[in-house]
Amino acid sequence: MTGLLSGCTDSASKDIKIGMVYELTGNTASYGTSAADGAKLAFKEINANGGVLGKQIKIVTADNKGEPSESANAMTKLITQDRVIAVTGFTVSSCGIAGSAVAEDNKIPLVAAATVNPRVTVDEKTGKVKDYTFRACFIDSFQGTVSANFALNSLKKSNSAIMIDNSSDYSKGLAQIFKDVFTKGGGRVVAEEAYLQKDQDFKAILTKIKAQNPELIYLPGYYDDVGKIIKQARELGITAPILGGDAWDSPRLVELGGAQALNDTYFTNFYSVQDTNPASQAFVEAYKKEYGQPPDSMAAMGYDAVYLLVDAIKRANSEESAKIREALAATKDFKSVSGNMNLSSTHDAIRGVVIIEMKDGKQVYKETIKP
């Protein structure tokens, strides 16, 4: 039945249905709700400017609860019952991987917002690029490479400890890339320790790391754990800089870790609100007007993902999934909020990585590393 439904649209309809799947509840809801807010702003702007193909966009929203199984269920419902022509969403890689499997089975375009694991767009078993899955963000290999080079060249560190969330493909993937690039660049990994999501006491692990006297700790985890780990590290007297990835980006990080403990920490990210390019500033002003606060990087990625998808629908001049897919694959010089970007042959965004430094509880833009 799902196969028969793929690619079918009601061209006589007065609106165009696009699905939106995000982590609106659960442990990663901070990411999903921000991205969804950015996406809703983009849809609102597009509809206010005449919609697409002469029609208004109707958003059909689903909550994946931060779980891969719920992601598959949400995608199946949107495609087979709500009859959307395309889907945008996902900030967690495992959820994006599960969602992409349903998109591929039904031949419905999916533009993921902030899922950085390569397996979102490339089939792990066959090594082939997935036909209908695309993303608005860079992937782990680029982010991890930038982190290692930043540690070596900007922070001037010759050795590092690594803390890995063993329950997260995201964390394990980034850790491996960082280790490979850091050691090839002449750095030395003096300790590797693992933890699991929802652990509360990290002091035993941190004590082992402290004994190795690392110049740096690489911590590619999620904000919920990272805040607690950094707080406990500083309580143990660990003063080394701590470096992480985009999953740090949440207001909750400062609540959990404390402003003082987070000094001399850094993370790679998709976007900084302090970026001065015109597209970014227009987005920031519109977001502030809509929500009364500045956007974070997840809001920016949700916003970009919608515009990336709608841009392809316009260029395809069609609601047919195959034509939208072709237009997405041909994307070049798309104006994202962090500057022009292209899509690679593996359907991943080629865009800059932003380095953020935490100072007294505030994010401070440090630099952008371009591909």
Side-chain angles (χ1 to χ4, degrees):
M1 179 62 75
T2 57
L4 293 172
L5 289 170
S6 64
C8 295
T9 61
D10 181 2
S11 59
S13 174
K14 65 181 180 181
D15 54 38
I16 290 177
K17 286 185 180 179
I18 295 178
M20 187 172 79
V21 184
Y22 276 114
E23 299 76 14
L24 302 178
T25 58
N27 289 337
T28 52
S30 174
Y31 304 139
T33 51
S34 284
D37 283 345
K40 286 184 284 188
L41 174 61
F43 282 126
K44 182 178 180 179
E45 289 177 351
I46 293 163
N47 279 336
N49 287 314
V52 61
L53 306 183
K55 299 180 181 182
Q56 291 286 285
I57 297 170
K58 181 178 179 181
I59 314 167
V60 187
T61 304
D63 177 14
N64 66 29
K65 303 176 184 177
E67 298 290 342
S69 60
E70 291 291 342
S71 298
N73 293 338
M75 285 288 290
T76 300
K77 179 184 178 297
L78 288 175
I79 294 168
T80 63
Q81 295 182 34
D82 298 308
R83 307 289 293 278
V84 299
I85 68 163
V87 179
T88 184
F90 300 103
T91 64
V92 175
S93 288
S94 57
C95 295
I97 292 166
S100 73
V102 180
E104 295 300 315
D105 286 345
N106 290 274
K107 295 182 169 56
I108 291 292
L110 164 64
V111 176
T115 54
V116 292
N117 191 294
R119 290 187 290 140
V120 174
T121 57
V122 176
D123 188 288
E124 184 180 27
K125 293 179 181 176
T126 65
K128 292 182 179 178
V129 179
K130 298 175 184 178
D131 284 338
Y132 284 83
T133 305
F134 302 80
R135 68 177 121 207
C137 62
F138 50 66
I139 60 174
D140 280 342
S141 57
F142 184 42
Q143 181 176 199
T145 298
V146 166
S147 293
N149 287 329
F150 176 73
L152 289 164
N153 303 323
S154 295
L155 296 179
K156 307 293 185 185
K157 302 305 178 185
S158 61
N159 72 64
S160 176
I162 301 176
M163 281 189 72
I164 305 164
D165 175 358
N166 247 358
S167 52
S168 164
D169 289 339
Y170 163 83
S171 183
K172 289 186 286 187
L174 271 180
Q176 187 60 54
I177 294 157
F178 175 88
K179 180 181 178 180
D180 290 346
V181 177
F182 188 72
T183 53
K184 283 177 184 174
R188 187 165 58 93
V189 174
V190 296
E192 285 185 69
E193 297 292 340
Y195 65 93
L196 297 174
Q197 280 177 31
K198 299 182 182 178
D199 284 353
Q200 299 298 316
D201 188 349
F202 303 93
K203 288 190 174 178
I205 293 172
L206 288 165
T207 299
K208 290 181 184 178
I209 288 174
K210 184 181 179 182
Q212 301 304 314
N213 196 29
E215 295 179 357
L216 172 78
I217 297 174
Y218 185 57
L219 176 58
Y222 289 97
Y223 67 88
D224 201 34
D225 299 315
V226 166
K228 297 167 191 169
I229 291 169
I230 292 175
K231 185 174 186 291
Q232 292 175 33
R234 299 311 192 210
E235 288 170 351
L236 285 173
I238 295 173
T239 59
I242 302 174
L243 173 63
D246 62 283
W248 282 31
D249 190 14
S250 168
R252 289 270 296 148
L253 181 67
V254 179
E255 293 175 27
L256 292 164
Q260 191 65 34
L262 284 161
N263 282 338
D264 205 16
T265 68
Y266 309 81
F267 64 97
T268 47
N269 210 358
F270 307 110
Y271 169 76
S272 169
V273 73
Q274 296 166 20
D275 194 322
T276 57
N277 84 72
S280 171
Q281 291 306 299
F283 164 63
V284 170
E285 288 308 309
Y287 193 92
K288 284 181 178 177
K289 184 177 179 181
E290 186 73 14
Y291 299 110
Q293 62 185 22
D296 61 13
S297 70
M298 290 299 171
M301 298 312 299
Y303 185 86
D304 274 351
V306 168
Y307 271 103
L308 183 62
L309 173 58
V310 172
D311 174 68
I313 296 171
K314 287 179 179 177
R315 287 187 287 108
N317 195 31
S318 173
E319 296 176 50
E320 292 180 28
S321 58
K323 291 183 178 179
I324 297 169
R325 187 210 73 78
E326 289 171 9
L328 278 166
T331 298
K332 291 186 184 303
D333 293 325
F334 171 76
K335 288 179 172 56
S336 79
V337 294
S338 61
N340 281 15
M341 58 165 267
N342 298 309
L343 287 183
S344 70
S345 60
T346 50
H347 299 173
D348 308 316
I350 303 172
R351 62 190 295 160
V353 174
V354 170
I355 305 291
I356 303 288
E357 180 178 1
M358 295 301 298
K359 284 187 176 180
D360 299 325
K362 305 290 185 185
Q363 291 188 16
V364 178
Y365 170 78
K366 196 161 181 66
E367 59 182 296
T368 297
I369 311 295
K370 300 221 169 156

